[in-house]
Amino acid sequence: MKFSQIAVGLAVTPFGASIDRWCVRFFGESPVSWVFAKSEGVDYNPPILLTTRGRKTGLDRTVVLPHFLAHSHAPDCIAVIGSRGGMPQDPHWAQNLKAHPEASIWYARQEIAVDVECVEGSARDPLWKSITERSPVYLGYQERAAKHREIPVFVLKAKDGTQLTAPE
């Protein structure tokens, strides 16, 4: 078993997820994302916290996610990927965004309200290509999910015009 699998296994427990969110909020780093990146041989991408409104409960739900440049789609925007490791269903946060396309992110140590667009079809292709060139792990996830779904790509744009960036 890879160390990354152990780290991700811990992160999906309520305790592990809360520790990871706390680290992102106060240090700007995710121990789980760092371990995963190092053991998968990809560049570490400092994460954001994404807070969505639950589609069933209406309660705020916060997750730690890597983010990517979305400049091929729109300037000053970032993208997040609803991969869920290639599982047959979208992650809950992605389902929440589809139901309520507004959210907030914890980015550069500040909370920013964002508008969300689920990018589909031919508009998705150049964005997907740029993301998978940086993090090819998503190609394997899409291959696993292919019989069930296309992995959603969401573009986040700050409502107040803050320029959002990500590592290249």
Side-chain angles (χ1 to χ4, degrees):
M1 179 176 272
K2 286 183 172 180
F3 189 58
S4 63
Q5 291 170 317
I6 295 168
V8 170
L10 173 64
V12 298
T13 67
F15 177 74
S18 65
I19 294 293
D20 202 41
R21 285 191 304 269
W22 187 87
C23 287
V24 172
R25 181 169 301 279
F26 293 102
F27 302 121
E29 305 292 338
S30 164
V32 172
S33 295
W34 186 86
V35 168
F36 179 80
K38 293 306 172 194
S39 53
E40 293 298 317
V42 297
D43 291 335
Y44 172 70
N45 185 354
I48 61 169
L49 292 176
L50 173 72
T51 301
T52 62
R53 183 166 34 117
R55 68 195 177 288
K56 294 179 182 176
T57 65
L59 299 174
D60 285 350
R61 304 293 184 196
T62 303
V63 294
V64 175
L65 293 173
H67 62 290
F68 302 90
L69 289 174
H71 297 168
S72 65
H73 181 74
D76 303 335
C77 295
I78 57 174
V80 293
I81 311 300
S83 68
R84 198 175 184 191
M87 298 296 288
Q89 309 85 15
D90 287 340
H92 294 291
W93 65 263
Q95 294 174 40
N96 293 343
L97 286 179
K98 288 178 179 180
H100 307 287
E102 294 182 337
S104 66
I105 59 173
W106 185 258
Y107 171 86
R109 304 236 173 111
Q110 61 181 334
E111 187 169 24
I112 301 171
V114 294
D115 288 317
V116 179
E117 176 189 359
C118 184
V119 183
E120 299 175 317
S122 61
R124 177 185 181 273
D125 296 340
L127 189 52
W128 179 255
K129 183 176 189 278
S130 71
I131 292 168
T132 56
E133 284 173 354
R134 175 163 165 59
S135 293
V137 68
Y138 291 109
L139 293 171
Y141 295 163
Q142 182 59 71
E143 189 176 308
R144 264 186 248 156
K147 292 181 183 176
H148 308 281
R149 65 186 179 103
E150 180 176 73
I151 290 178
V153 177
F154 296 93
V155 172
L156 312 178
K157 182 171 183 66
K159 289 185 178 202
D160 67 1
T162 298
Q163 181 178 356
L164 304 175
T165 63
E168 296 201 29

